[in-house]
Amino acid sequence: MFVTAHTCEPCLSRHSIPKGHHFAMNGNRAAFNVYYKSGSTQQPQQQSVHNQTDDHERWYTEVTASNRMRLSLLSGIDGEIAWALNRLVRLCRNEDFRLRQIPGLLEALFEWPEWFSTTGYKEHTDLHSVFAPPTTLSLRRQHAIMSAFVLRNAALIDDQNAIAIAGFFRTMPLVLHALHNLDHSLDANTEFLSYILDIFHCVTSTLVLPPKSSPQTASPLQPLLHIVSSSSNRSIIMAALHALASLFSNPQNAHHLSPTSPALSVCIKYLPLHNDKPLLESSLNYLYTHLSHPAMSKAFLLHPDMPSVLRILVNLLLVEQVQENVAIDITGDYHTVPSAVLSTKDHELSQAELDGLLALPEPKRCFDWLTLMFIKRPGGEVTQIDLWNLYRESWEAHEGLYPMLPASDVIKNATTMFGTQSLVLPGPKFIIQDIERRKDTVLADKLKCQWDRSKCTAPPLSTAAELCEHVLQHIDSHNVGDEATCLWSTCPRDKIPSKNFRAHVLTHFWQAHIPTERNPSQSDTITISPATNHPDPNPTKRNPPLPRRTVINFQRTINDAPSTSLLVLLCIRILFQTSFASVEAAPKVDADHFGFPGVTEETEDDDEGQLLEGNVVENEKEGGRRGRRTFGDLRKLLEAVQIKDDALMGWITEMINAGMEEYP
């Protein structure tokens, strides 16, 4: 595709090309006329070639000095220049685009940025900020911006382009002219300056700043510091901070650093902006570079904002850590029993059992009665008199239906039925071996009267007050005398003085021992230790049981530390090591050193230097004390920091332990 243009001789004269540009055109006029015939308004006849996608035409990117884009850049024709720059803007996005592949292209791209940074900026007046500038000035300024944009993109996309730009002899003059001449506060210069700063990044890693005695125009340092401290444009501030950080990463430029650098103050001002990640990262990058130099880190410990900066840095670590709630169940073995108290008592015939036995003749009634009232248990025993009395009490009132068996027959039936034998123990004591009374396990109602060894037949009372009145009736009817025995349940107290008897009985059921109504959410079981008997006559002395459920809840960091957190951690680490580093004075010459190398000798001429050195050492000690005190104050805040990486987390642990040792 061709673009028609009138290329008459006046258009190619030096009057139509900015100053300094005509030399490139004179050497390529013949090549340029291959494509543009003087005075022609017709398009040249195209060859019949296969259709190709735009921006991939071979003759636009052919690697010859007569490349059309290069010639268009040097033509001085605004339309041709705009066309070439539009093509280059698209091409520079391709990773395969190389500036050195097209001879003379790099030189041509520098023409318009150099014109704007040396001459063109002067044509922009204050009126142009209010009224539209002339069309020609506006177009040429746009050519300079687009050329810088192409150079910037090419350098960022491909390392070979960055090396070519860094090694080009016109790069540093362009950067210096742009930084010293252009006013960064004007909107017309903002975009161009941001591209120049990005191009400057290709040079900063190897650039050695001139001595401080050199003219200011020979160094980019002062304009960069001025931009950082006075600009309100976020992108330019970030680019300038990156450039300064890259410059001071070179140890040969360290002597240009200052503890009161305006760039340091700006970085401190932007640290709380944790929501603006790019600006925060630029500030942290410069702060880390500044603190990486030992002299600057020692001086920063004396900075009035040092404690606040450290606190902000630790808070940045806390803001960027992503945590999840973790619950670990460590519940051990536990035992539960019903919350209701169980009691055991001898079995008594129920009315239904009694009615069923009354109709039976003897001895069947005796055998069935023995089955209901006794069980066989090795080691158990029942006295013959107790067996007979129990039988007689059960059937004496009903002897009219069936006569009772004699005592000997009842004892014989018991030994026959359970396969045991009667024994006579010393005493004498007549027993039946290996049997015992059948027991019933029942719920011991808290409001049930336990008087007369739990034989009180009164039903459970409704309230504690009713139970109290009921028990007082037992006490009043009980023949106390001078001393009495407590008949409440299994109470072992006897010989209680009569004046204390009433008070003693009331201790068995006072209000605090009677539980309130259980909450619906409360379990109907209780937890006990494995070796605890239940029910326990003295439950307050039993071993405390294990909890039914033991869960450890804590928060765990799940994300790796992002780049900003790593920069923050490095800054904190530098300040920590500087604060806790020991300051040792230089060795002095004495009889013990024997003049070994490195030993300094005091002379009268060195008094002033020694005084200055003493002040420096004292300042370092004071800075160390301030730093250690600050880390001691931040100990609690550091304990909340969690980093997934064990090595990095070890740094935090070291700071916490050091703070505890310094300020326990």
Side-chain angles (χ1 to χ4, degrees):
M1 147 167 41
F2 290 87
V3 177
T4 60
H6 293 283
T7 57
C8 57
E9 190 66 23
C11 294
L12 296 177
S13 66
R14 71 172 60 201
H15 299 289
S16 62
I17 302 177
K19 183 178 180 180
H21 292 223
H22 63 279
F23 67 88
M25 192 63 227
N26 291 337
N28 297 282
R29 185 186 302 272
F32 187 81
N33 287 336
V34 172
Y35 302 107
Y36 296 93
K37 297 187 179 298
S38 178
S40 174
T41 58
Q42 298 180 355
Q43 295 183 358
Q45 184 177 1
Q46 300 184 18
Q47 297 180 359
S48 58
V49 295
H50 62 279
N51 188 18
Q52 291 180 319
T53 306
D54 192 21
D55 291 337
H56 290 78
E57 299 89 341
R58 293 180 181 178
W59 66 290
Y60 289 161
T61 56
E62 57 187 359
V63 290
T64 63
S66 60
N67 181 279
R68 181 184 175 187
M69 291 186 297
R70 172 181 175 274
L71 297 178
S72 297
L73 289 174
L74 301 175
S75 67
I77 305 173
D78 291 333
E80 291 298 319
I81 296 171
W83 171 86
L85 289 174
N86 285 329
R87 288 292 183 268
L88 287 170
V89 165
R90 298 182 184 181
L91 286 173
C92 70
R93 301 175 184 173
N94 194 329
E95 295 181 356
D96 296 329
F97 177 69
R98 302 288 186 274
L99 291 172
R100 287 300 189 185
Q101 285 182 347
I102 302 176
L105 179 60
L106 183 60
E107 292 81 353
L109 285 172
F110 269 80
E111 296 293 332
W112 287 104
E114 286 180 343
W115 167 81
F116 184 71
S117 60
T118 56
T119 305
Y121 76 95
K122 299 177 182 178
E123 301 181 16
H124 190 281
T125 63
D126 294 338
L127 292 177
H128 295 159
S129 300
V130 181
F131 302 100
T135 304
T136 303
L137 177 60
S138 179
L139 286 175
R140 291 179 178 179
R141 184 172 65 86
Q142 189 65 24
H143 296 339
I145 293 174
M146 294 183 69
S147 298
F149 178 77
V150 172
L151 290 170
R152 173 250 192 194
N153 274 16
L156 294 179
I157 290 177
D158 185 72
D159 291 339
Q160 294 186 20
N161 292 331
I163 294 173
I165 294 174
F168 191 43
F169 71 96
R170 293 164 67 179
T171 300
M172 276 308 301
L174 171 63
V175 172
L176 292 175
H177 288 152
L179 292 179
H180 285 281
N181 295 337
L182 300 184
D183 185 359
H184 63 82
S185 63
L186 297 178
D187 293 339
N189 301 334
T190 300
E191 185 178 3
F192 181 77
L193 271 177
S194 66
Y195 296 152
I196 291 297
L197 289 173
D198 289 339
I199 295 171
F200 183 44
H201 291 165
C202 302
V203 187
T204 52
S205 60
T206 57
L207 178 65
V208 178
L209 295 174
K212 296 181 179 179
S213 59
S214 302
Q216 289 189 358
T217 55
S219 173
L221 182 58
Q222 291 304 319
L224 286 173
L225 294 175
H226 179 65
I227 289 174
V228 168
S229 60
S230 60
S231 176
S232 59
N233 187 287
R234 173 177 172 274
S235 60
I236 288 185
I237 294 174
M238 291 169 51
L241 285 175
H242 278 299
L244 287 171
S246 183
L247 277 176
F248 292 131
S249 297
N250 189 342
Q252 299 182 47
N253 297 326
H255 64 280
H256 290 276
L257 280 169
S258 171
T260 59
S261 171
L264 178 62
S265 301
V266 169
C267 291
I268 293 175
K269 181 175 66 175
Y270 293 146
L271 284 181
L273 304 179
H274 59 84
N275 289 328
D276 191 345
K277 296 297 183 183
L279 181 58
L280 176 62
E281 188 167 358
S282 301
S283 302
L284 289 172
N285 190 31
Y286 177 81
L287 180 62
Y288 168 67
T289 304
H290 183 92
L291 297 177
S292 296
H293 299 279
M296 294 299 103
S297 60
K298 293 177 182 178
F300 187 77
L301 293 178
L302 297 172
H303 197 285
D305 293 331
M306 184 271 295
S308 301
V309 170
L310 266 176
R311 186 172 295 274
I312 292 173
L313 292 177
V314 177
N315 278 308
L316 286 174
L317 291 177
L318 295 175
V319 168
E320 292 195 338
Q321 64 184 20
V322 180
Q323 296 182 320
E324 64 176 355
N325 294 323
V326 180
I328 300 179
D329 193 341
I330 59 171
T331 305
D333 296 333
Y334 63 92
H335 300 272
T336 60
V337 293
S339 59
V341 180
L342 301 177
S343 63
T344 303
K345 64 179 182 179
D346 293 336
H347 178 70
E348 299 291 344
L349 290 177
S350 64
Q351 189 62 41
E353 292 173 338
L354 181 61
D355 295 340
L357 293 176
L358 283 176
L360 299 178
E362 293 290 359
K364 180 171 177 51
R365 183 177 67 179
C366 180
F367 283 109
D368 290 351
W369 175 81
L370 288 171
T371 302
L372 292 174
M373 301 299 290
F374 295 91
I375 61 172
K376 183 175 182 179
R377 186 181 73 83
E381 62 180 33
V382 176
T383 62
Q384 296 179 7
I385 188 63
D386 289 340
L387 175 64
W388 165 247
N389 288 336
L390 184 61
Y391 174 82
R392 182 168 53 83
E393 291 172 359
S394 299
W395 307 114
E396 188 175 19
H398 309 284
E399 191 175 7
L401 296 177
Y402 293 100
M404 295 188 302
L405 294 177
S408 59
D409 290 344
V410 174
I411 295 171
K412 180 179 178 181
N413 291 341
T415 57
T416 302
M417 177 178 178
F418 293 105
T420 59
Q421 58 183 349
S422 298
L423 297 177
V424 180
L425 299 180
K429 183 180 180 181
F430 300 93
I431 65 169
I432 302 176
Q433 193 178 18
D434 296 337
I435 67 170
E436 68 176 7
R437 285 286 300 273
R438 183 182 296 276
K439 304 293 183 180
D440 289 336
T441 302
V442 296
L443 290 176
D445 198 301
K446 299 263 183 215
L447 296 178
K448 177 74 170 63
C449 179
Q450 305 294 328
W451 191 255
D452 197 17
R453 304 304 179 192
S454 302
K455 294 181 179 180
C456 180
T457 58
L461 284 304
S462 301
T463 62
E466 294 181 2
L467 177 61
C468 182
E469 293 178 0
H470 175 79
V471 174
L472 290 177
Q473 294 176 5
H474 286 300
I475 296 174
D476 294 339
S477 62
H478 186 59
N479 186 12
V480 177
D482 295 335
E483 293 179 346
T485 301
C486 179
L487 300 180
W488 184 269
S489 186
T490 59
C491 180
R493 289 290 302 276
D494 57 359
K495 298 181 180 181
I496 303 173
S498 57
K499 62 179 181 178
N500 299 332
F501 184 72
R502 180 188 181 96
H504 168 79
V505 174
L506 292 178
T507 60
H508 289 294
F509 60 93
W510 63 294
Q511 184 65 31
H513 287 172
I514 301 175
T516 58
E517 184 178 358
R518 189 174 67 245
N519 189 284
S521 62
Q522 185 178 355
S523 175
D524 58 353
T525 60
I526 59 175
T527 307
I528 61 173
S529 300
T532 302
N533 295 324
H534 184 76
D536 193 338
N538 194 2
T540 59
K541 293 185 178 180
R542 65 188 178 191
N543 296 327
L546 295 173
R548 296 192 181 186
R549 189 167 185 264
T550 305
V551 179
I552 299 177
N553 295 304
F554 63 94
Q555 288 187 322
R556 179 176 59 193
T557 300
I558 60 175
N559 66 316
D560 294 324
S563 58
T564 50
S565 292
L566 294 177
L567 282 173
V568 167
L569 191 57
L570 288 173
C571 293
I572 298 176
R573 177 74 170 175
I574 291 174
L575 294 176
F576 169 75
Q577 291 179 334
T578 307
S579 300
F580 287 85
S582 60
V583 179
E584 299 180 357
K588 306 298 180 183
V589 170
D590 53 30
D592 297 330
H593 290 91
F594 305 103
F596 281 107
V599 178
T600 60
E601 184 176 1
E602 297 182 1
T603 62
E604 295 181 358
D605 297 336
D606 295 337
D607 288 345
E608 183 178 354
Q610 291 170 3
L611 180 62
L612 180 61
E613 181 183 353
N615 292 335
V616 171
V617 172
E618 188 60 33
N619 288 337
E620 291 181 2
K621 290 182 178 179
E622 176 61 25
R625 285 191 290 267
R626 292 186 76 232
R628 292 191 292 272
R629 183 166 56 250
T630 303
F631 275 97
D633 295 338
L634 295 178
R635 185 182 63 196
K636 294 297 183 182
L637 200 60
L638 285 169
E639 290 176 355
V641 176
Q642 293 184 2
I643 301 178
K644 190 175 181 180
D645 186 86
D646 293 337
L648 300 180
M649 191 60 204
W651 292 2
I652 300 295
T653 305
E654 181 184 1
M655 298 176 195
I656 296 172
N657 294 337
M660 294 177 62
E661 294 175 0
E662 188 70 21
Y663 296 97

